[in-house]
Amino acid sequence: MNYYQPEMECASRENMRALQSERLVKTVKHVYENVAYYRKLMDEKGVEPGDIKSIDDLNKLPFLTKSDLRDAYPYGLLALPLADAVRIQSTSGTTGRRVVAFYTQHDIDIWDECCARAIVAAGGSKNDVVHVSYGYGLFTGGPGLNGGSHKVGSLTLPMSSGNTERQLQFMMDLDATILCCTPSYAAFLAENIIQQGLQDKISLKAGIFGAEAWSEEMRHDIENKLNIKAYDIYGLTEISGPGVSFECTEQTGMHVNEDHFIPEIIDPDTGDVLPDGTQGELVFTCISKEAFPLLRYRTRDLCVLTRDECSCGRTLVKMSRITGRTDDMLIIRGVNVFPSQIEAVLMNAGYPANYQIIVDRVNYTDTFEVQVEMTPEMFSDTVKEVEAMEGELLASMRAMLGISPKVTLVAPRSITRSEGKAVRVIDKRKI
Ligand code: ADP
Ligand code: ZN
């Protein structure tokens, strides 16, 4: 088995808890002394740094939310003089105003190490050619995997997103072995490779795909089309970027880099901490960062934590795939609908994950349409056959969601592809 930092990735629970406690105590003190915004929250809750003696005291600390980050924008949560920071990154703005995060060189080194762990867990080494098609720039995807690949010593192709023809050319000419991008872009590249008959010219063996939710069915689809192993990777700008957690060869969830980030699962309505194995909102506390160490940050991402032994030998806790974001949940005619549910129906029925959900409000009533792309084979079917397929999809969606969308099958390649995160929902309601 290959590890990048086995002393941390395979530490005993006792040693990990001791390390986490030591780092937590230090970080709380650092934040209390340097971040007026969080000091106020602690004072309001009647908590002092001295009250936090180990990770058992974690739940005494107040939560931070995305709206705190927006309130404190841009410098309000910076824990060091600006002169000590060397980089900013920013969220994609999927759900509103972007927020910024700051890094010292040490923070970047740790982030890169986390991504290096992900690359090694996916079978990467200095002999690999890592093709990074995540966007570079403010988005953390490109810089994160780029830094990780350098740490591993792999040859790094900093492709960034866009220009599919050039991506494919470099992938073939330089024999790229590991592809890093969003799962939706991986599916798009796979489509192009098959359409152009390039399968034999591609040397990929693994993919590290994240930054957006994807299903097990989509994983199988990409793995089959590209003849690779596809690994999930998770992260968010506020906590550092990709590499907060990563999948190993077991492919049953992502190991959290617990020596840097302590995860908790809470009930999103009450804020109560939930036991392992229960689905809820993921919360992270950074314990090794200098410039932007958020404490108990509510990610709004929904998942489950499990501590079962993993066949890879890592002892790091595992988080399940993200089943939704509390903020991507749509409430349509009073019913909660997650795009991931719709995707699961489509993948089960053998459709590619090219779909769009369009919600509007007409005469005070929500309208709900799911547009689904047909494959070229389906497209040649008669109108009657297409109507029958729409009817079948509608029945499966009604069974899954409890409400009925209008299902429309549209021509192959008619839904705009994204080179970064896919745009799944168009909500035209003005409420
Ligand atoms: P934004 O919130 O604007 O999208 P980021 O670009 O920092 O900001 O993206 C972080 C978010 O992306 C996470 O909070 C999560 O919702 C999503 N995400 C990242 N990795 C994954 C993944 N592997 N699976 C599902 N969702 C993910
Ligand atoms: Zn494992």
Side-chain angles (χ1 to χ4, degrees), residues 342 346 353-359 368-373 406 408 410 414-417 422-426:
I342 291 173
L346 295 179
N354 297 321
Y355 65 94
Q356 218 151 34
I357 302 165
I358 300 151
V359 191
F368 173 26
E369 178 179 5
V370 182
Q371 292 189 350
V372 183
E373 238 182 58
K406 172 168 187 264
T408 314
V410 297
S414 59
I415 293 179
T416 316
R417 299 292 190 276
V423 180
R424 302 294 193 199
V425 179
I426 300 175

Side-chain angles (χ1 to χ4, degrees), residues 248 250 255 310 312 314 318:
C248 63
E250 206 182 83
H255 289 289
C310 187
C312 76
R314 287 179 183 80
K318 266 192 200 171

Side-chain angles (χ1 to χ4, degrees), residues 137-425:
L138 287 170
F139 179 52
T140 51
L145 270 306
N146 193 91
S149 177
H150 278 211
K151 289 263 179 206
V152 176
S154 312
L155 178 66
T156 313
L157 308 187
M159 298 303 303
S160 197
S161 54
N163 201 336
T164 303
E165 288 314 308
R166 188 177 61 195
Q167 300 266 359
L168 296 180
Q169 199 63 52
F170 272 74
M171 190 182 280
M172 290 188 291
D173 293 350
L174 293 152
D175 293 323
T177 52
I178 299 183
L179 171 65
C180 306
C181 59
T182 56
S184 49
Y185 194 55
F188 178 60
L189 288 175
E191 242 177 27
N192 278 273
I193 288 169
I194 289 175
Q195 202 169 52
Q196 297 177 36
L198 303 175
Q199 293 99 310
D200 294 343
K201 301 201 172 73
I202 301 289
S203 314
L204 292 178
K205 63 175 190 189
I208 302 178
F209 305 135
E212 64 184 2
W214 51 313
S215 58
E216 195 59 31
E217 292 81 2
M218 187 163 174
R219 183 204 311 259
H220 291 148
D221 190 43
I222 297 172
E223 286 190 331
N224 291 337
K225 286 191 173 137
L226 290 176
N227 193 20
I228 60 168
K229 285 276 170 205
Y231 299 97
D232 204 354
I233 183 169
Y234 168 89
L236 62 169
T237 315
E238 299 91 310
I239 299 302
S240 66
V244 170
S245 66
F246 61 96
E247 235 174 13
C248 63
T249 44
E250 206 182 83
Q251 294 180 296
T252 54
M254 296 172 276
H255 289 289
V256 177
N257 283 312
E258 285 183 276
D259 49 331
H260 301 301
F261 318 108
I262 305 179
E264 296 172 277
I265 293 287
I266 62 160
D267 178 327
D269 297 326
T270 63
D272 292 341
V273 178
L274 299 174
D276 288 347
T278 316
Q279 160 144 317
E281 180 181 349
L282 186 60
V283 172
F284 279 111
T285 296
C286 302
I287 50 171
S288 58
K289 283 174 71 179
E290 295 177 336
F292 205 66
L294 300 188
L295 303 176
R296 297 199 92 202
Y297 180 64
R298 294 183 57 158
T299 63
R300 306 198 282 187
D301 292 326
L302 300 171
C303 73
V304 176
L305 292 178
T306 48
R307 286 176 198 277
D308 301 338
E309 212 170 283
C310 187
S311 60
C312 76
R314 287 179 183 80
T315 50
L316 300 170
V317 65
K318 266 192 200 171
M319 56 183 260
S320 66
R321 65 159 35 84
I322 302 290
T323 46
R325 300 168 63 141
T326 56
D327 52 10
D328 81 359
M329 184 183 79
L330 289 158
I331 302 182
I332 305 173
R333 295 177 219 138
V335 177
N336 298 350
V337 173
F338 286 99
S340 57
Q341 296 173 303
I342 291 173
E343 186 168 322
V345 169
L346 295 179
M347 300 304 284
N348 270 332
Y351 288 82
N354 297 321
Y355 65 94
Q356 218 151 34
I357 302 165
I358 300 151
V359 191
D360 204 347
R361 184 159 288 184
V362 181
N363 295 333
Y364 306 105
T365 306
D366 292 337
T367 61
F368 173 26
E369 178 179 5
V370 182
Q371 292 189 350
V372 183
E373 238 182 58
M374 285 183 273
T375 60
E377 300 82 64
M378 296 169 182
F379 194 50
S380 57
D381 291 346
T382 63
V383 172
K384 224 172 169 171
E385 283 165 330
V386 170
E387 277 173 5
M389 292 191 293
E390 285 176 341
E392 274 170 34
L393 271 185
L394 172 62
S396 315
M397 287 198 194
R398 186 190 300 126
M400 169 73 102
L401 307 171
I403 57 168
S404 303
K406 172 168 187 264
V407 175
T408 314
L409 290 175
V410 297
R413 296 179 161 254
S414 59
I415 293 179
T416 316
R417 299 292 190 276
S418 160
E419 289 158 355
K421 301 191 191 217
V423 180
R424 302 294 193 199
V425 179

Side-chain angles (χ1 to χ4, degrees), residues 65-82:
T65 63
K66 202 153 194 161
S67 71
D68 286 315
L69 264 71
R70 288 180 177 139
D71 287 352
Y73 176 90
Y75 299 125
L77 288 159
L78 185 63
L80 286 174
L82 197 53

